[in-house]
Amino acid sequence: MIEDLRVYFGVYGFECDHTTITNQLGVPPTSAWNKGETYRVGFSSAVRTHSRWSLGTGLSASASVEDNLMRLVELLAPIIDRVNDVKQQFEASLVVVQHFRTANNDFSLSATCLERVSSLGLDLWFDQYYESRTS
Protein backbone atom coordinates (compact mmCIF):
# COMPACT_ATOMS: atom_id res chain seq x y z
CA MET A 1 0.00 0.00 0.00
CA ILE A 2 1.35 3.40 -1.00
CA GLU A 3 1.30 5.70 2.01
CA ASP A 4 2.56 8.78 0.21
CA LEU A 5 2.97 9.45 -3.52
CA ARG A 6 4.51 12.48 -5.19
CA VAL A 7 5.05 12.74 -8.94
CA TYR A 8 6.61 15.83 -10.46
CA PHE A 9 8.84 17.36 -13.11
CA GLY A 10 11.97 18.68 -11.43
CA VAL A 11 14.79 21.01 -12.46
CA TYR A 12 18.03 20.97 -10.45
CA GLY A 13 21.64 22.10 -10.63
CA PHE A 14 21.02 25.78 -11.24
CA GLU A 15 22.82 28.67 -9.55
CA CYS A 16 20.41 31.34 -10.81
CA ASP A 17 17.28 32.35 -8.91
CA HIS A 18 14.46 29.83 -9.37
CA THR A 19 12.32 32.56 -10.95
CA THR A 20 14.62 32.29 -13.99
CA ILE A 21 13.36 28.71 -14.52
CA THR A 22 9.77 29.91 -14.13
CA ASN A 23 10.34 32.60 -16.75
CA GLN A 24 12.00 30.16 -19.17
CA LEU A 25 9.22 27.57 -18.86
CA GLY A 26 6.37 30.07 -18.72
CA VAL A 27 4.53 28.16 -15.99
CA PRO A 28 4.56 28.65 -12.22
CA PRO A 29 6.14 25.90 -10.10
CA THR A 30 4.32 23.85 -7.51
CA SER A 31 7.37 24.46 -5.33
CA ALA A 32 10.77 26.05 -5.79
CA TRP A 33 13.73 27.11 -3.71
CA ASN A 34 17.27 28.36 -4.02
CA LYS A 35 20.37 26.84 -2.50
CA GLY A 36 21.14 28.50 0.81
CA GLU A 37 17.54 29.34 1.73
CA THR A 38 16.44 28.36 5.22
CA TYR A 39 13.35 26.27 5.89
CA ARG A 40 11.59 24.76 8.90
CA VAL A 41 12.03 21.13 9.93
CA GLY A 42 9.88 20.44 12.95
CA PHE A 43 10.89 22.96 15.58
CA SER A 44 14.25 23.84 14.04
CA SER A 45 15.50 25.29 10.80
CA ALA A 46 17.76 23.93 8.09
CA VAL A 47 19.52 25.30 5.03
CA ARG A 48 18.78 24.11 1.49
CA THR A 49 21.82 22.31 0.03
CA HIS A 50 20.64 22.58 -3.58
CA SER A 51 18.23 24.54 -5.75
CA ARG A 52 15.06 22.92 -7.07
CA TRP A 53 12.12 23.90 -9.24
CA SER A 54 9.23 21.43 -9.47
CA LEU A 55 5.88 21.10 -11.18
CA GLY A 56 3.44 18.65 -9.62
CA THR A 57 0.30 17.17 -11.12
CA GLY A 58 -2.33 18.60 -8.78
CA LEU A 59 -4.09 15.23 -8.69
CA SER A 60 -5.65 13.81 -5.53
CA ALA A 61 -3.64 11.64 -3.16
CA SER A 62 -5.58 8.59 -4.35
CA ALA A 63 -4.45 8.97 -8.00
CA SER A 64 -2.18 6.23 -9.34
CA VAL A 65 1.41 6.57 -10.52
CA GLU A 66 0.18 6.15 -14.08
CA ASP A 67 -2.52 8.82 -13.73
CA ASN A 68 0.08 11.22 -12.35
CA LEU A 69 2.57 10.50 -15.14
CA MET A 70 -0.11 10.95 -17.79
CA ARG A 71 -1.05 14.28 -16.21
CA LEU A 72 2.59 15.41 -16.37
CA VAL A 73 2.62 14.52 -20.08
CA GLU A 74 -0.47 16.71 -20.54
CA LEU A 75 1.20 19.59 -18.69
CA LEU A 76 4.62 19.34 -20.36
CA ALA A 77 3.80 18.39 -23.95
CA PRO A 78 2.56 21.90 -24.91
CA ILE A 79 5.79 23.46 -23.61
CA ILE A 80 8.20 20.69 -24.60
CA ASP A 81 10.43 23.08 -26.60
CA ARG A 82 10.93 25.22 -23.48
CA VAL A 83 11.45 22.08 -21.37
CA ASN A 84 14.16 20.96 -23.80
CA ASP A 85 15.85 24.38 -23.60
CA VAL A 86 15.89 24.15 -19.79
CA LYS A 87 17.12 20.53 -20.00
CA GLN A 88 20.10 21.69 -22.10
CA GLN A 89 21.15 24.09 -19.32
CA PHE A 90 20.26 22.22 -16.13
CA GLU A 91 19.39 18.79 -14.78
CA ALA A 92 15.73 17.97 -15.45
CA SER A 93 13.72 14.79 -14.95
CA LEU A 94 10.40 13.28 -14.03
CA VAL A 95 10.35 12.03 -10.44
CA VAL A 96 8.14 9.47 -8.69
CA VAL A 97 8.48 9.33 -4.88
CA GLN A 98 6.66 6.52 -3.12
CA HIS A 99 6.49 5.73 0.60
CA PHE A 100 5.20 2.27 1.48
CA ARG A 101 4.02 0.84 4.80
CA THR A 102 4.04 -2.76 3.64
CA ALA A 103 6.83 -4.77 2.05
CA ASN A 104 6.79 -6.32 -1.43
CA ASN A 105 4.92 -3.55 -3.21
CA ASP A 106 4.67 -3.27 -6.94
CA PHE A 107 2.98 -1.17 -9.58
CA SER A 108 2.65 -1.35 -13.32
CA LEU A 109 2.60 1.14 -16.17
CA SER A 110 0.75 0.54 -19.42
CA ALA A 111 2.53 0.53 -22.77
CA THR A 112 0.59 3.69 -23.66
CA CYS A 113 1.85 5.46 -20.55
CA LEU A 114 5.42 4.36 -21.18
CA GLU A 115 5.23 5.55 -24.78
CA ARG A 116 3.79 8.95 -23.85
CA VAL A 117 6.29 9.52 -21.04
CA SER A 118 9.12 8.45 -23.34
CA SER A 119 7.98 10.97 -25.97
CA LEU A 120 8.98 13.78 -23.58
CA GLY A 121 12.63 12.69 -23.76
CA LEU A 122 13.12 13.09 -20.01
CA ASP A 123 14.74 10.73 -17.53
CA LEU A 124 12.35 9.08 -15.08
CA TRP A 125 13.56 8.72 -11.50
CA PHE A 126 11.86 6.38 -9.00
CA ASP A 127 12.56 7.08 -5.33
CA GLN A 128 10.94 4.39 -3.16
CA TYR A 129 10.93 4.01 0.62
CA TYR A 130 9.65 1.23 2.81
CA GLU A 131 8.78 2.60 6.23
CA SER A 132 8.39 -0.06 8.87
CA ARG A 133 6.37 1.25 11.77
CA THR A 134 6.31 -0.43 15.13
CA SER A 135 4.04 0.67 17.92
Side-chain angles (χ1 to χ4, degrees), residues 87-117:
K87 187 174 77 168
Q88 295 302 314
Q89 301 170 61
F90 313 109
E91 299 171 47
S93 64
L94 302 178
V95 179
V96 176
V97 180
Q98 297 171 294
H99 293 258
F100 299 99
R101 275 195 175 174
T102 56
N104 301 320
N105 290 283
D106 62 7
F107 65 94
S108 63
L109 299 172
S110 69
T112 300
C113 180
L114 291 170
E115 182 178 357
R116 293 196 62 204
V117 167

Short mmCIF file of all heavy atoms in Angstrom, two decimals, residues 87-117:
data_model
loop_
_atom_site.label_atom_id
_atom_site.label_comp_id
_atom_site.label_asym_id
_atom_site.label_seq_id
_atom_site.Cartn_x
_atom_site.Cartn_y
_atom_site.Cartn_z
N LYS A 87 16.38 21.79 -20.16
CA LYS A 87 17.12 20.53 -20.00
C LYS A 87 18.55 20.65 -20.54
O LYS A 87 19.46 19.99 -20.05
CB LYS A 87 16.37 19.40 -20.70
CG LYS A 87 16.95 18.03 -20.47
CD LYS A 87 16.07 16.95 -21.07
CE LYS A 87 16.27 16.90 -22.56
NZ LYS A 87 15.67 15.71 -23.19
N GLN A 88 18.76 21.48 -21.55
CA GLN A 88 20.10 21.69 -22.10
C GLN A 88 21.00 22.46 -21.13
O GLN A 88 22.21 22.34 -21.17
CB GLN A 88 20.02 22.43 -23.44
CG GLN A 88 19.32 21.66 -24.53
CD GLN A 88 19.98 20.32 -24.80
OE1 GLN A 88 21.19 20.21 -24.91
NE2 GLN A 88 19.17 19.27 -24.89
N GLN A 89 20.39 23.25 -20.25
CA GLN A 89 21.15 24.09 -19.32
C GLN A 89 21.31 23.49 -17.92
O GLN A 89 22.30 23.75 -17.25
CB GLN A 89 20.46 25.45 -19.17
CG GLN A 89 20.31 26.22 -20.46
CD GLN A 89 19.42 27.42 -20.24
OE1 GLN A 89 19.74 28.29 -19.44
NE2 GLN A 89 18.28 27.46 -20.92
N PHE A 90 20.31 22.72 -17.51
CA PHE A 90 20.26 22.22 -16.13
C PHE A 90 19.84 20.76 -16.11
O PHE A 90 19.40 20.22 -17.12
CB PHE A 90 19.27 23.04 -15.29
CG PHE A 90 19.40 24.52 -15.45
CD1 PHE A 90 18.45 25.26 -16.11
CD2 PHE A 90 20.50 25.19 -14.93
CE1 PHE A 90 18.56 26.63 -16.27
CE2 PHE A 90 20.64 26.56 -15.07
CZ PHE A 90 19.67 27.29 -15.74
N GLU A 91 19.91 20.14 -14.96
CA GLU A 91 19.39 18.79 -14.78
C GLU A 91 17.87 18.87 -14.74
O GLU A 91 17.31 19.74 -14.06
CB GLU A 91 19.87 18.19 -13.46
CG GLU A 91 21.37 18.04 -13.34
CD GLU A 91 21.75 17.65 -11.92
OE1 GLU A 91 21.11 16.72 -11.36
OE2 GLU A 91 22.66 18.28 -11.38
N ALA A 92 17.19 17.99 -15.45
CA ALA A 92 15.73 17.97 -15.45
C ALA A 92 15.25 16.54 -15.61
O ALA A 92 15.80 15.79 -16.42
CB ALA A 92 15.18 18.85 -16.57
N SER A 93 14.24 16.15 -14.85
CA SER A 93 13.72 14.79 -14.95
C SER A 93 12.32 14.71 -14.37
O SER A 93 11.87 15.62 -13.67
CB SER A 93 14.63 13.80 -14.20
OG SER A 93 14.65 14.10 -12.82
N LEU A 94 11.65 13.62 -14.67
CA LEU A 94 10.40 13.28 -14.03
C LEU A 94 10.76 12.48 -12.78
O LEU A 94 11.69 11.67 -12.81
CB LEU A 94 9.51 12.45 -14.95
CG LEU A 94 9.15 13.08 -16.28
CD1 LEU A 94 8.32 12.11 -17.11
CD2 LEU A 94 8.41 14.38 -16.09
N VAL A 95 10.03 12.69 -11.71
CA VAL A 95 10.35 12.03 -10.44
C VAL A 95 9.08 11.42 -9.85
O VAL A 95 8.03 12.05 -9.81
CB VAL A 95 10.94 13.04 -9.43
CG1 VAL A 95 11.26 12.37 -8.10
CG2 VAL A 95 12.18 13.71 -10.00
N VAL A 96 9.21 10.16 -9.40
CA VAL A 96 8.14 9.47 -8.69
C VAL A 96 8.69 9.10 -7.31
O VAL A 96 9.67 8.36 -7.21
CB VAL A 96 7.69 8.19 -9.43
CG1 VAL A 96 6.64 7.43 -8.61
CG2 VAL A 96 7.17 8.52 -10.81
N VAL A 97 8.08 9.64 -6.26
CA VAL A 97 8.48 9.33 -4.88
C VAL A 97 7.34 8.57 -4.23
O VAL A 97 6.20 9.04 -4.20
CB VAL A 97 8.78 10.61 -4.07
CG1 VAL A 97 9.21 10.26 -2.65
CG2 VAL A 97 9.84 11.46 -4.76
N GLN A 98 7.67 7.37 -3.75
CA GLN A 98 6.66 6.52 -3.12
C GLN A 98 7.14 6.10 -1.74
O GLN A 98 8.27 5.66 -1.57
CB GLN A 98 6.42 5.26 -3.95
CG GLN A 98 5.86 5.54 -5.33
CD GLN A 98 5.86 4.29 -6.17
OE1 GLN A 98 6.90 3.78 -6.51
NE2 GLN A 98 4.67 3.80 -6.50
N HIS A 99 6.25 6.22 -0.75
CA HIS A 99 6.49 5.73 0.60
C HIS A 99 5.50 4.61 0.85
O HIS A 99 4.29 4.80 0.69
CB HIS A 99 6.29 6.85 1.64
CG HIS A 99 7.31 7.94 1.53
ND1 HIS A 99 8.36 8.03 2.41
CD2 HIS A 99 7.45 8.95 0.66
CE1 HIS A 99 9.10 9.07 2.08
NE2 HIS A 99 8.57 9.65 1.01
N PHE A 100 6.03 3.45 1.24
CA PHE A 100 5.20 2.27 1.48
C PHE A 100 5.21 1.91 2.95
O PHE A 100 6.22 2.06 3.62
CB PHE A 100 5.73 1.07 0.69
CG PHE A 100 5.76 1.25 -0.79
CD1 PHE A 100 6.92 1.62 -1.45
CD2 PHE A 100 4.61 1.06 -1.54
CE1 PHE A 100 6.95 1.77 -2.82
CE2 PHE A 100 4.62 1.21 -2.91
CZ PHE A 100 5.80 1.57 -3.56
N ARG A 101 4.10 1.37 3.43
CA ARG A 101 4.02 0.84 4.80
C ARG A 101 4.18 -0.67 4.82
O ARG A 101 4.47 -1.24 5.86
CB ARG A 101 2.68 1.19 5.43
CG ARG A 101 2.66 2.54 6.04
CD ARG A 101 1.46 2.64 6.94
NE ARG A 101 1.48 3.90 7.63
CZ ARG A 101 0.52 4.32 8.39
NH1 ARG A 101 -0.55 3.59 8.57
NH2 ARG A 101 0.61 5.47 9.00
N THR A 102 3.93 -1.31 3.69
CA THR A 102 4.04 -2.76 3.64
C THR A 102 5.15 -3.15 2.66
O THR A 102 5.45 -2.42 1.72
CB THR A 102 2.72 -3.40 3.17
OG1 THR A 102 2.35 -2.84 1.91
CG2 THR A 102 1.60 -3.14 4.17
N ALA A 103 5.74 -4.30 2.92
CA ALA A 103 6.83 -4.77 2.05
C ALA A 103 6.25 -5.39 0.78
O ALA A 103 5.06 -5.65 0.68
CB ALA A 103 7.67 -5.80 2.81
N ASN A 104 7.13 -5.64 -0.18
CA ASN A 104 6.79 -6.32 -1.43
C ASN A 104 5.69 -5.61 -2.23
O ASN A 104 4.72 -6.22 -2.66
CB ASN A 104 6.38 -7.77 -1.15
CG ASN A 104 7.48 -8.53 -0.47
OD1 ASN A 104 8.65 -8.38 -0.79
ND2 ASN A 104 7.11 -9.34 0.52
N ASN A 105 5.87 -4.33 -2.42
CA ASN A 105 4.92 -3.55 -3.21
C ASN A 105 5.34 -3.55 -4.66
O ASN A 105 6.51 -3.68 -5.00
CB ASN A 105 4.88 -2.11 -2.69
CG ASN A 105 4.22 -2.04 -1.34
OD1 ASN A 105 3.01 -2.12 -1.24
ND2 ASN A 105 5.02 -1.94 -0.29
N ASP A 106 4.37 -3.38 -5.52
CA ASP A 106 4.67 -3.27 -6.94
C ASP A 106 3.66 -2.32 -7.58
O ASP A 106 2.67 -1.93 -6.96
CB ASP A 106 4.66 -4.62 -7.64
CG ASP A 106 3.31 -5.31 -7.59
OD1 ASP A 106 2.33 -4.69 -7.12
OD2 ASP A 106 3.21 -6.45 -8.02
N PHE A 107 3.92 -1.94 -8.79
CA PHE A 107 2.98 -1.17 -9.58
C PHE A 107 3.31 -1.45 -11.03
O PHE A 107 4.39 -1.95 -11.36
CB PHE A 107 3.05 0.33 -9.27
CG PHE A 107 4.36 0.96 -9.64
CD1 PHE A 107 4.52 1.59 -10.87
CD2 PHE A 107 5.43 0.95 -8.77
CE1 PHE A 107 5.72 2.17 -11.22
CE2 PHE A 107 6.63 1.53 -9.11
CZ PHE A 107 6.78 2.13 -10.34
N SER A 108 2.40 -1.14 -11.91
CA SER A 108 2.65 -1.35 -13.32
C SER A 108 2.29 -0.09 -14.09
O SER A 108 1.51 0.74 -13.62
CB SER A 108 1.85 -2.55 -13.84
OG SER A 108 0.47 -2.28 -13.73
N LEU A 109 2.89 0.03 -15.27
CA LEU A 109 2.60 1.14 -16.17
C LEU A 109 2.23 0.54 -17.52
O LEU A 109 2.90 -0.38 -18.00
CB LEU A 109 3.81 2.06 -16.32
CG LEU A 109 4.31 2.73 -15.04
CD1 LEU A 109 5.61 3.46 -15.30
CD2 LEU A 109 3.25 3.68 -14.49
N SER A 110 1.19 1.05 -18.13
CA SER A 110 0.75 0.54 -19.42
C SER A 110 1.74 0.93 -20.52
O SER A 110 2.52 1.89 -20.37
CB SER A 110 -0.64 1.08 -19.77
OG SER A 110 -0.55 2.47 -20.04
N ALA A 111 1.68 0.21 -21.62
CA ALA A 111 2.53 0.53 -22.77
C ALA A 111 2.23 1.94 -23.28
O ALA A 111 3.14 2.68 -23.67
CB ALA A 111 2.32 -0.49 -23.89
N THR A 112 0.97 2.34 -23.23
CA THR A 112 0.59 3.69 -23.66
C THR A 112 1.25 4.74 -22.77
O THR A 112 1.79 5.73 -23.27
CB THR A 112 -0.95 3.85 -23.62
OG1 THR A 112 -1.54 2.90 -24.49
CG2 THR A 112 -1.36 5.26 -24.02
N CYS A 113 1.21 4.53 -21.47
CA CYS A 113 1.85 5.46 -20.55
C CYS A 113 3.35 5.54 -20.80
O CYS A 113 3.92 6.63 -20.89
CB CYS A 113 1.57 5.06 -19.11
SG CYS A 113 2.32 6.14 -17.87
N LEU A 114 3.98 4.39 -20.93
CA LEU A 114 5.42 4.36 -21.18
C LEU A 114 5.78 5.09 -22.46
O LEU A 114 6.75 5.85 -22.52
CB LEU A 114 5.92 2.92 -21.22
CG LEU A 114 5.88 2.17 -19.89
CD1 LEU A 114 6.17 0.69 -20.13
CD2 LEU A 114 6.86 2.77 -18.90
N GLU A 115 4.98 4.89 -23.49
CA GLU A 115 5.23 5.55 -24.78
C GLU A 115 5.08 7.07 -24.66
O GLU A 115 5.91 7.83 -25.16
CB GLU A 115 4.26 5.00 -25.83
CG GLU A 115 4.48 5.58 -27.21
CD GLU A 115 3.53 4.99 -28.24
OE1 GLU A 115 2.73 4.10 -27.91
OE2 GLU A 115 3.60 5.46 -29.39
N ARG A 116 4.03 7.51 -23.98
CA ARG A 116 3.79 8.95 -23.85
C ARG A 116 4.84 9.61 -22.98
O ARG A 116 5.32 10.71 -23.30
CB ARG A 116 2.39 9.20 -23.32
CG ARG A 116 1.34 8.76 -24.37
CD ARG A 116 -0.03 9.28 -24.14
NE ARG A 116 -0.05 10.74 -24.19
CZ ARG A 116 -0.99 11.46 -23.58
NH1 ARG A 116 -1.94 10.88 -22.89
NH2 ARG A 116 -0.99 12.77 -23.66
N VAL A 117 5.23 8.97 -21.90
CA VAL A 117 6.29 9.52 -21.04
C VAL A 117 7.60 9.57 -21.82
O VAL A 117 8.32 10.56 -21.78
CB VAL A 117 6.42 8.70 -19.73
CG1 VAL A 117 7.70 9.05 -18.99
CG2 VAL A 117 5.20 8.91 -18.84
#
